[in-house]
Amino acid sequence: MRFTGKTALITGGTSGMGLATAHRLVEEGAQVIVTGRTRGRVDQAAAALGPNALGVVADAADLGDLTALMAAIETRYGRLDILFANAGTGTFKPFAEITEADFDQSVAVNVKGVFFTIQKALPLLADGASIVINASWTLHRGNGILTLYSATKAAAHNLARTLAAELAPRGIRVNSVSPGYIDTPMYPAAALSEAEAAAITGRVVAGRFGRAEEVAAAVAFLSSAEASYVNGQDLVIDGGLVAAIPA
Ligand SMILES: NC(=O)c1ccc[n+]([C@@H]2O[C@H](COP(=O)([O-])OP(=O)(O)OC[C@H]3O[C@@H](n4cnc5c(N)ncnc54)[C@H](OP(=O)(O)O)[C@@H]3O)[C@@H](O)[C@H]2O)c1
C-alpha cells in the first residue's frame, strides 16, 4: 500500500500500460485519474478500476482539454502526487513515406502533449511529487521505420532530464521509462504472424514480449518513495533488447 493517500494522473489510461499502471496504483491505495480521447473507453476503464478512479475525456494534444482536465482534478482532489505522462502514438513507416501530417500528429501527442501535460499539472503537483514519462527503447537503438517515433521519444526522455533539474527545488523527481516490445493494443503480439513474432522475440534476450504489468511495476517503483534518489533517469524495461544480443 505504497500509495495510500496519494493521487495519480495517468494520461492514456484506457488500455495497455496506462491501464495496467492505474490498476497497480489503485491496488496500492491511490486515487487515480485516467484519460483517453473517447467517452466510451474512458468510462469502461474507470468502471474497471472501481470507486477510487475518475475517468476524464482529454486529448493530450489539445491544450484546452488539458486545462479542463486539471480543473476537474483540482475540484475533485485538490492536488496531484504522481503523474504518468503515458499517452502516445506511433507512425511506423519508412522515412521517405512520412508526411507532414504524420509528423505533426506524432509531435503533437508525444512531445507537445507530454510537455504541456506536465506544465499544466505543475500548480497541482505537490512538493515531493513524482513524474514519469513513457518514452521507448527506440530512443536508445536505431531502427528503420521508427525514425519519427524514435525522435519524439528521445525528446520525451530529454524532458525528464531537464525537468529533473528545474523541478528539483520543489523535490519533484522526473524520470522516464523505455518499454521494449510490450504486448498491448498499440503493438499486439497476436496480430503478428508466427514468423514475425519469432523475428521480434529473437532480438530480445528474454525471448518474449513484455507485459503491460511489467512496465506498471517499474512505473510504480519510480513513483514511490523507494525511488527517492532516482532522478532524471530512463529505466529501460525491454527484456534485454537494448543492452545485449541473444546468445
Ligand atoms: N507497446 C509497445 O511496444 C510500446 C513500446 C514502447 C513505448 N510505448 C509507449 O507506451 C505508451 C502506451 O502505449 P501502449 O503500448 O500501452 O498502447 P495502448 O494500449 O494503445 O495505449 C495508448 C493509450 O494512449 C491513449 N492515447 C492515445 N492518443 C491519445 C491522445 N491524443 N490523448 C489522450 N490519450 C491518448 C489511448 O487512449 P484512447 O485510445 O482511449 O484515446 C490509450 O489509453 C505510448 O506512449 C507508447 O508510445 C509502447
Side-chain angles (χ1 to χ4, degrees), residues 11-18 35-38 41-42 58-61 86-89 105 109-110 134-137 149 153 178-187:
T11 64
T14 58
S15 63
M17 293 175 238
T35 70
R37 290 162 295 178
T38 58
R41 278 172 58 81
V42 164
D59 186 330
N86 165 72
T89 190
Q105 164 68 7
V109 181
N110 296 358
N134 203 338
S136 166
W137 69 273
Y149 182 74
K153 293 300 191 177
S178 274
Y181 292 110
I182 311 296
D183 184 10
T184 69
M186 178 184 273
Y187 202 78

Side-chain angles (χ1 to χ4, degrees), residues 8-113:
L9 167 61
I10 300 175
T11 64
T14 58
S15 63
M17 293 175 238
L19 182 58
T21 303
H23 276 292
R24 179 71 191 244
L25 298 187
V26 165
E27 280 161 19
E28 291 204 50
Q31 306 270 356
V32 172
I33 302 103
V34 290
T35 70
R37 290 162 295 178
T38 58
R39 171 56 56 201
R41 278 172 58 81
V42 164
D43 286 350
Q44 199 178 11
L49 288 162
N52 289 330
L54 172 70
V56 179
V57 177
D59 186 330
D62 184 316
L63 267 61
D65 280 8
L66 293 178
T67 302
L69 166 65
M70 300 311 164
I73 295 170
E74 182 164 28
T75 303
R76 173 95 170 246
Y77 303 104
R79 64 184 261 161
L80 277 176
D81 303 287
I82 295 164
L83 168 57
F84 183 28
N86 165 72
T89 190
T91 299
F92 308 122
K93 290 181 185 174
F95 176 65
E97 291 173 22
I98 290 171
T99 64
E100 186 179 8
D102 293 332
F103 186 95
D104 289 347
Q105 164 68 7
S106 285
V107 171
V109 181
N110 296 358
V111 183
K112 179 181 162 188

Side-chain angles (χ1 to χ4, degrees), residues 94-211:
F95 176 65
E97 291 173 22
I98 290 171
T99 64
E100 186 179 8
D102 293 332
F103 186 95
D104 289 347
Q105 164 68 7
S106 285
V107 171
V109 181
N110 296 358
V111 183
K112 179 181 162 188
V114 171
F115 189 102
F116 285 105
T117 295
I118 297 171
Q119 190 197 68
K120 289 191 177 290
L122 220 41
L124 286 178
L125 282 165
D127 289 357
S130 164
I131 300 171
V132 180
I133 297 169
N134 203 338
S136 166
W137 69 273
T138 60
L139 76 90
H140 296 283
R141 190 172 177 189
N143 183 334
I145 83 159
L146 293 175
T147 47
L148 173 59
Y149 182 74
S150 307
T152 64
K153 293 300 191 177
H157 165 62
N158 191 266
L159 267 177
R161 292 185 178 197
T162 51
L163 286 174
E166 186 157 350
L167 303 182
R170 290 185 52 199
I172 298 176
R173 294 178 299 105
V174 191
N175 294 286
S176 63
V177 288
S178 274
Y181 292 110
I182 311 296
D183 184 10
T184 69
M186 178 184 273
Y187 202 78
L192 301 174
S193 69
E194 215 170 291
E196 287 168 334
I200 296 291
T201 54
R203 294 177 202 158
V204 182
V205 175
R208 62 172 177 82
F209 286 82
R211 297 187 299 274

